[in-house]
Amino acid sequence: MSIAAAAQAPAPRGSGKGHKFDARRQEILAASGALLNRHGLRGATLSMVASEIDLNLKSLRYYYKRKEDLVAAAFLHSIDLHQQLIDASEAEPTPEARLRTFIDGYFALQARVRKGEQPEFVHFGDVRALTEPQASIVFTAYIDMFRRMRGLIHQPGDGWDKQVLNARTHALLSQLLWSVVWLRYYLPEDFPRVANRFGNLLLHGIAPGRPMPEVVGIDLQDDVADGERLSRDSFLRAATELINAHGYRGASVERISAALNVTKGSFYHHNDTKEDLVVACFQRTFDVMRRGQNEALRRHDKGFAQLTEAMVNLVQFQLRPTGTLLRTSALTAIDVHLRDEMNFRMNQLTARFEDMLIDGIADGSGIACDARIAAQMVTGLINSTEELPRWAAGVSANTVVDLYVRPMFSGLLSRSA
């Protein structure tokens, strides 16, 4: 029996397992969500989960023999919650009505979690760290969820090919997942209002009816002649790509060294620890984002043009051979104090996007919107571009603006995007 089936199926007759067994298993799942979100797949242990529900480790292994089994069950439970939201949305007659229902349901679910009415469910940021056989089971369920979510957007006669539909579905899902990061700054009683404003921005864009400013793209790669700096940057690029692709656990020192054709000794010549390397990868990401913002501020005097150029250049950077920014899911791999510092740095950069939006509203180049939420969505879009080629095959730095950035300005359902 698969892990998915084992997580849902009732206990077999004669096994001595029944309602109490299933109830205890659900209690374990409920406790694991918050721990996995806080510590990541690397840091969370079965002992932590057992301690959380006052159960000894031996007893917990009666329900889940290995941590990987519990993690897979937690992801499948989270996927099932999203599937239930899709179930409640599919009957609506139009894409906008379906998406509004889905978004409202998602934010209502997050509000129940915040109020303690619903156990915290595991987020998907660390899902790439899964290994076989659990990975195939969870990814199959995740892809099914993605396809059903795509159905909420699709409408017969819309003329969109699979690449466009997949790109917009990825944008929808990524923005919802990113909202978990910034919803912490809102009170749960305000979530309905936040859901409405988020939905307006997602479905109608940050500047509906207004053409997206044309910008001249530039490569944000930091050209440094010094050989040591280039060698250091090669480590950072390789580590960033591997962590994004395989998660912290999957991006081993051996794998990073092999990608660069160097020894482990050479790795430790450049990096004291693997955690230090992750922090350095974040530093590189922040430097690139800051450079993109500075260039946009230098080249334009209108807020909307500044925002557009920064977005375009950073999104295109993600798809260049020497590009790629570290996904924020890697935050769970580092110490909580360092994580707070990295979150603070990211929020500083997001605040600069908010300033550009506010300046654009003030100088007339933009349109009035909730700049606070819109800025977070801009950061979310840039962050999620790294994963876009997995869903929209063939996308490149040359095509990503029309495919992925333009809908941010004119709306997810816009035919002109």
Side-chain angles (χ1 to χ4, degrees):
M1 180 183 291
S2 71
I3 293 173
Q8 302 297 329
R13 292 183 180 180
S15 66
K17 302 176 183 179
H19 175 72
K20 289 184 177 179
F21 177 88
D22 292 333
R24 177 63 90 173
R25 187 163 53 185
Q26 290 303 313
E27 184 183 0
I28 294 169
L29 277 177
S32 66
L35 287 170
L36 288 169
N37 289 337
R38 190 178 312 127
H39 300 284
L41 270 64
R42 169 185 173 240
T45 65
L46 286 181
S47 296
M48 286 181 180
V49 178
S51 176
E52 190 76 10
I53 57 175
D54 197 25
L55 192 70
N56 64 57
L57 183 58
K58 183 178 179 180
S59 297
L60 187 144
R61 290 189 186 277
Y62 177 66
Y63 301 93
Y64 295 100
K65 291 184 178 180
R66 299 184 302 164
K67 182 175 79 170
E68 290 76 11
D69 297 333
L70 174 58
V71 169
F75 276 122
L76 291 170
H77 172 67
S78 185
I79 290 170
D80 184 62
L81 288 175
H82 288 75
Q83 294 275 34
Q84 291 176 37
L85 295 177
I86 296 172
D87 290 340
S89 308
E90 286 178 326
E92 298 292 344
T94 65
E96 176 158 355
R98 291 194 290 270
L99 290 173
R100 287 283 187 183
T101 300
F102 183 76
I103 291 168
D104 289 346
Y106 184 85
F107 280 81
L109 175 62
Q110 293 290 354
R112 291 197 298 275
V113 170
R114 179 75 70 81
K115 294 175 182 178
E117 300 169 356
Q118 163 104 20
E120 188 173 338
F121 54 92
V122 67
H123 307 148
F124 296 121
D126 224 10
V127 70
R128 293 191 195 178
L130 286 172
T131 56
E132 296 297 349
Q134 293 86 0
S136 294
I137 296 167
V138 173
F139 291 156
T140 297
Y142 188 90
I143 290 170
D144 178 65
M145 178 190 73
F146 184 92
R147 287 172 175 164
R148 291 192 65 204
M149 200 172 293
R150 185 173 63 194
L152 300 180
I153 298 175
H154 177 61
Q155 181 168 281
D158 58 23
W160 291 338
D161 60 21
K162 185 176 180 180
Q163 186 191 51
V164 172
L165 274 171
N166 278 2
R168 298 191 183 205
T169 305
H170 177 59
L172 166 65
L173 183 54
S174 298
Q175 290 292 357
L176 287 171
L177 299 181
W178 181 251
S179 72
V180 175
V181 175
W182 51 264
L183 271 174
R184 70 187 71 174
Y185 303 113
Y186 292 85
L187 295 172
E189 54 264 38
D190 293 330
F191 281 20
R193 175 181 60 82
V194 174
N196 182 60
R197 294 189 177 185
F198 173 89
N200 289 339
L201 289 163
L202 184 70
L203 299 178
H204 302 299
I206 61 176
R210 185 165 296 191
M212 178 178 157
E214 296 296 329
V215 298
V216 178
I218 59 172
D219 189 353
L220 297 174
Q221 183 63 36
D222 187 12
D223 295 321
V224 182
D226 181 75
E228 180 66 19
R229 280 288 303 279
L230 289 175
S231 178
R232 172 67 169 165
D233 193 59
S234 66
F235 272 104
L236 298 181
R237 290 201 308 270
T240 296
E241 291 171 3
L242 286 169
I243 293 169
N244 285 342
H246 304 289
Y248 181 88
R249 293 174 67 194
S252 64
V253 172
E254 291 81 1
R255 181 173 275 176
I256 295 170
S257 300
L260 292 164
N261 197 28
V262 299
T263 65
K264 287 177 64 175
S266 180
F267 174 94
Y268 287 113
H269 171 71
H270 293 279
N271 313 277
D272 291 333
T273 66
K274 187 177 167 186
E275 185 179 71
D276 290 338
L277 178 62
V278 174
V279 173
C281 288
F282 271 116
Q283 180 62 57
R284 172 180 174 271
T285 292
F286 298 148
D287 287 345
V288 172
M289 291 184 68
R290 185 174 181 177
R291 190 156 59 246
Q293 292 174 333
N294 287 344
E295 281 295 317
L297 290 166
R298 181 180 65 83
R299 290 153 62 96
H300 301 279
D301 58 1
K302 297 291 186 179
F304 199 48
Q306 293 167 352
L307 177 73
T308 304
E309 175 154 315
M311 281 184 64
V312 167
N313 286 329
L314 288 167
V315 164
Q316 287 183 325
F317 179 87
Q318 291 272 51
L319 299 180
R320 298 190 192 280
T322 57
T324 305
L325 304 174
L326 190 62
R327 286 182 63 86
T328 53
S329 57
L331 283 169
T332 57
I334 58 179
D335 179 82
V336 64
H337 300 298
L338 288 171
R339 194 183 312 168
D340 289 343
E341 173 65 19
M342 298 301 103
N343 275 319
F344 177 77
R345 296 284 303 283
M346 183 63 78
N347 283 330
Q348 284 184 315
L349 295 168
T350 300
R352 298 187 90 193
F353 289 132
E354 183 178 354
D355 288 343
M356 294 176 190
L357 283 158
I358 293 171
D359 288 345
I361 295 169
D363 64 31
S365 61
I367 293 176
C369 68
D370 190 316
R372 185 184 182 190
I373 296 175
Q376 289 288 354
M377 294 175 72
V378 169
T379 296
L381 184 90
I382 294 167
N383 183 59
S384 66
T385 303
E386 181 275 332
E387 197 177 11
L388 181 61
R390 292 172 176 263
W391 302 103
V395 64
S396 67
N398 294 327
T399 61
V400 71
V401 174
D402 285 336
L403 184 68
Y404 205 56
V405 179
R406 201 171 295 277
M408 181 77 190
F409 287 83
S410 55
L412 195 70
L413 301 177
S414 173
R415 296 297 183 270
S416 61

